[in-house]
């Protein structure tokens, strides 16, 4: 059995698992609306049953989900754009932030143990990390990525 995405106006409206002959029969509507997708493909990489890349064919960039975009020109599925500033990476068929963090500075060096992951702040157009203080009398600790200095500023 295979997975198929029903696409209307380049948006995925349904995803099912069935045999291709059922799609071809027209019982589920116009067969041209149904496009095969691979449950094992994400970020343009095929993954095996163990969850690791296996060198298989990455079918259509990503597994289609309801609300995903189908780009018929490139024959790929990808998620809707999360923020206006994000850029479509056509190698991975996924969205990325408009700035890159150097690998050695993905997180601040003095990050406490009770920290959370970084997130994108669209208003500031940069990354931030917010840490809840264990001391209720002190405010949250905020780290903001400074694009000019290429360092984390502790606010």
């Amino acid at each position: 059995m295979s997975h198929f995405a029903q696409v209307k106006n380049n948006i995925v409206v349904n995803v099912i698992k069935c045999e291709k002959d059922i799609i071809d029969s027209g019982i589920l509507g116009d067969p041209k609306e149904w496009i095969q997708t691979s449950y094992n493909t994400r970020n343009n990489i095929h993954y095996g049953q163990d969850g690791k890349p296996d060198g298989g064919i990455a079918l259509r960039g990503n597994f289609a989900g309801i609300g995903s975009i189908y780009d018929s020109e490139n024959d790929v599925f990808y998620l809707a754009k999360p923020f206006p500033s994000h850029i479509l990476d056509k190698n991975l068929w996924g969205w990325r932030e408009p700035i890159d963090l150097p690998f050695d500075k993905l997180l601040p060096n003095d990050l406490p143990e009770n920290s959370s992951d970084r997130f994108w702040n669209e208003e500031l157009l940069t990354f931030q990390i917010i840490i809840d203080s264990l001391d209720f009398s002190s405010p949250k600790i905020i780290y903001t990525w400074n694009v000019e200095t290429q360092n984390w500023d502790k606010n």
Side-chain angles (χ1 to χ4, degrees):
M1 274 202 202
S2 300
H3 287 89
F4 291 88
Q6 185 179 26
V7 176
K8 294 186 179 195
N9 298 318
N10 297 323
I11 304 293
V12 176
V13 296
N14 196 4
V15 179
I16 61 171
K17 186 175 183 179
C18 72
E19 298 294 341
K20 184 158 176 16
D21 60 340
I22 291 179
I23 298 293
D24 293 341
S25 75
I27 195 167
L28 299 173
D30 185 353
K32 293 178 187 173
E33 291 182 348
W34 293 93
I35 300 167
Q36 188 172 358
T37 185
S38 172
Y39 183 76
N40 297 322
T41 299
R42 59 188 178 279
N43 295 325
N44 214 23
I45 298 171
H46 188 274
Y47 291 83
Q49 297 298 329
D50 60 0
K52 296 178 182 173
D54 66 0
I57 296 171
L59 182 64
R60 298 192 170 92
N62 294 285
F63 179 65
I66 294 175
S68 295
I69 309 285
Y70 176 65
D71 177 338
S72 58
E73 185 177 318
N74 293 294
D75 193 27
V76 294
F77 293 103
Y78 52 86
L79 296 174
K81 192 173 189 175
F83 293 104
S85 67
H86 278 50
I87 300 163
L88 183 61
D89 182 331
K90 292 185 177 182
N91 292 317
L92 302 175
W93 291 107
W95 298 99
R96 66 175 184 79
E97 295 83 5
I99 62 173
D100 293 321
L101 288 174
F103 185 75
D104 63 337
K105 296 191 177 179
L106 294 177
L107 296 172
N109 292 334
D110 63 340
L111 199 63
E113 287 184 28
N114 66 329
S115 61
S116 59
D117 291 330
R118 67 182 178 277
F119 66 93
W120 179 252
N121 183 321
E122 182 68 8
E123 185 178 326
L124 298 176
L125 295 177
T126 194
F127 294 97
Q128 284 193 308
I129 298 171
I130 298 177
I131 301 160
D132 287 323
S133 173
L134 298 177
D135 178 3
F136 293 108
S137 64
S138 42
K140 295 180 180 191
I141 301 167
I142 301 173
Y143 291 85
T144 302
W145 178 251
N146 185 321
V147 179
E148 291 182 20
T149 65
Q150 294 284 288
N151 282 302
W152 289 97
D153 292 340
K154 189 173 179 180
N155 308 14

